[in-house]
């Protein structure tokens, strides 16, 4: 059993090291097959209204994605992805004062998105697509390197790890070196262990319980557990629309174990939970 005081103390150290509070990244999917919102935000007015709502609820970052990476999904051609994400990124930047993140693995989309005003590249392939490192070296925005075992189409078939935290740490080390060699400064990097990407339920739970171990990199940690199948599975097979409370709980657990950015669908509920956590953490820090 984890000693609660030790738990808070460990978190406090991470907290002090980073000197900032948890940021909430609201998800905006612009895909016809997005598993959790069914592509409801294809119309750009609807998308902008959703952004407005997420910002009113306290989102710090809006993550725009035009390619579904859910298990089993097919790739989207470059042109289609550009047409989905670039106009909406430009429109968000024109209308709102927020950081926009682009969820893509394609170098062409990274470039066009940043030119349209995106301030963060969120890549589930951790810049492994040909040309991605080079394009990012020419920009100055932060980059989230996410871990994924395999490819979206097949990653859930037979995920295997010797030691999940050790294996993902090796991957992070290798990608950090690749970035540095390409001319991307280390302090631009954000790490994400990639919940649900080539991981069984047991892997995901183990990863969440040991998330604090990634603090050795001294880089911000981003976590996306919102509405994912691990939440459904832990709640006895709950469908996507019944995963709100479980997602908020998992987000809080991640934040208490060192996550700095939470990527979520339900911004208002997460922001409330994070506020309570912040109050308690600050009190611990004072006392
Ligand atoms: C993640 C993501 C995640 C980061 C997706 C979904 C699937 N980017 N993009 N981390 N997941 N950085 O939202 O369920 O976990 S798409």
């Amino acid at each position: 059993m984890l000693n609660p005081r030790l738990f808070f103390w460990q978190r406090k150290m991470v907290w002090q090291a980073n000197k900032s509070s948890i940021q909430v990244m609201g998800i905006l999917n612009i895909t016809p097959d997005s598993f959790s919102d069914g592509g409801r935000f294809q119309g750009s007015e609807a998308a902008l209204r959703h952004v407005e709502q997420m910002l009113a609820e306290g989102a710090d970052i809006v993550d725009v994605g035009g390619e579904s990476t859910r298990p089993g999904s097919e790739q989207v051609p470059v042109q289609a992805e550009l047409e989905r994400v670039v106009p909406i990124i430009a429109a968000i930047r024109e209308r709102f004062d927020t950081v926009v993140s682009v969820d893509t693995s394609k170098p062409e989309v990274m470039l066009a998105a940043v030119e349209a005003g995106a301030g963060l590249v969120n890549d589930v392939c951790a810049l492994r697509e040909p040309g991605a490192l080079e394009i990012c070296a020419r920009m100055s925005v932060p980059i989230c390197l996410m871990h994924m075992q395999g490819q979206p189409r097949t990653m859930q078939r037979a995920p295997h790890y010797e030691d999940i935290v050790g294996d993902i740490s090796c991957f992070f080390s290798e990608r950090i070196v690749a970035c540095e060699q390409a001319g991307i400064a280390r302090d631009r990097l954000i790490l994400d262990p990639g919940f649900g990407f080539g991981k069984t339920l047991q892997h995901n739970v183990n990863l969440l319980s040991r998330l604090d171990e990634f603090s050795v990199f001294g880089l911000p940690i981003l976590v996306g557990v919102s509405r994912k199948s691990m939440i459904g599975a832990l709640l006895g097979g709950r469908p996507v629309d019944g995963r709100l409370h479980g997602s908020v709980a998992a987000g809080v657990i991640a934040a208490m174990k060192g996550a700095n950015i939470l990527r979520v669908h339900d911004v208002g509920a997460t922001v409330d939970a994070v506020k309570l956590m912040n109050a308690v953490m600050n009190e611990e820090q004072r006392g």
Side-chain angles (χ1 to χ4, degrees):
M1 250 303 272
L2 192 62
N3 173 336
R5 284 209 75 83
L6 180 63
F7 178 64
F8 271 90
W9 181 79
Q10 285 170 330
R11 180 64 192 85
K12 195 162 68 177
M13 300 317 282
V14 178
W15 189 276
Q16 285 168 343
N18 291 297
K19 285 206 171 42
S20 64
S21 50
I22 310 300
Q23 301 228 313
V24 175
M25 172 189 262
I27 301 169
L28 184 70
N29 280 321
I30 315 286
T31 57
D33 63 339
S34 305
F35 83 100
S36 60
D37 61 24
R40 278 190 290 124
F41 302 110
Q42 278 185 82
S44 63
E45 270 312 309
L48 289 170
R49 274 198 302 277
H50 188 59
V51 170
E52 186 171 28
Q53 188 191 339
M54 291 198 291
L55 294 175
E57 289 176 358
D60 303 285
I61 306 166
V62 175
D63 189 42
V64 178
E67 178 181 42
S68 174
T69 41
R70 69 178 176 156
S73 58
E74 296 292 337
Q75 290 196 351
V76 176
V78 176
Q79 197 53 38
E81 198 179 326
L82 283 169
E83 284 165 16
R84 279 182 200 169
V85 303
V86 175
I88 189 75
I89 290 172
I92 296 170
R93 292 285 286 126
E94 195 171 303
R95 216 181 281 192
F96 307 105
D97 181 22
T98 185
V99 175
V100 176
S101 151
V102 62
D103 187 346
T104 189
S105 300
K106 297 186 180 73
E108 299 88 341
V109 179
M110 293 171 183
L111 183 63
V114 170
E115 282 174 348
L120 196 161
V121 170
N122 172 26
D123 184 5
V124 299
C125 291
L127 307 186
R128 284 179 292 167
E129 287 298 315
L133 281 168
E134 293 75 9
I135 285 287
C136 286
R138 287 165 42 197
M139 309 167 172
S140 56
V141 300
I143 299 154
C144 177
L145 303 174
M146 197 197 78
H147 173 271
M148 164 164 48
Q149 186 178 88
Q151 298 292 323
R153 216 164 45 77
T154 54
M155 65 191 176
Q156 291 307 106
R157 277 185 200 161
H160 174 79
Y161 298 87
E162 288 300 318
D163 160 35
I164 189 148
V165 172
D167 293 2
I168 294 175
S169 296
C170 282
F171 173 82
F172 286 153
S173 300
E174 185 265 314
R175 296 315 298 156
I176 292 169
V177 169
C179 285
E180 288 178 321
Q181 285 176 348
I184 300 169
R186 184 188 163 95
D187 66 8
R188 284 174 60 196
L189 303 176
I190 298 166
L191 305 176
D192 180 346
F195 283 91
F197 286 83
K199 287 147 190 116
T200 63
L201 174 62
Q202 184 56 46
H203 290 142
N204 287 315
V205 173
N206 188 242
L207 200 52
L208 189 54
S209 78
R210 297 174 60 194
L211 193 72
D212 51 324
E213 295 179 38
F214 296 113
S215 66
V216 294
F217 288 97
L219 293 173
I221 304 292
L222 191 154
V223 160
V225 283
S226 181
R227 301 185 187 173
K228 284 192 177 168
S229 66
M230 68 179 282
I231 309 284
L234 291 171
L235 298 177
R238 195 73 67 77
V240 166
D241 65 6
R243 298 179 188 170
L244 165 66
H245 307 96
S247 297
V248 173
V252 169
I253 295 166
M256 296 192 84
K257 286 182 172 283
N260 306 88
I261 304 169
L262 300 178
R263 181 181 178 278
V264 304
H265 299 85
D266 302 291
V267 172
T270 308
V271 167
D272 281 1
V274 163
K275 275 187 188 159
L276 292 218
M277 208 191 104
N278 281 342
V280 176
M281 300 308 303
N282 290 337
E283 187 63 20
E284 282 275 318
Q285 212 162 341
R286 281 197 319 137

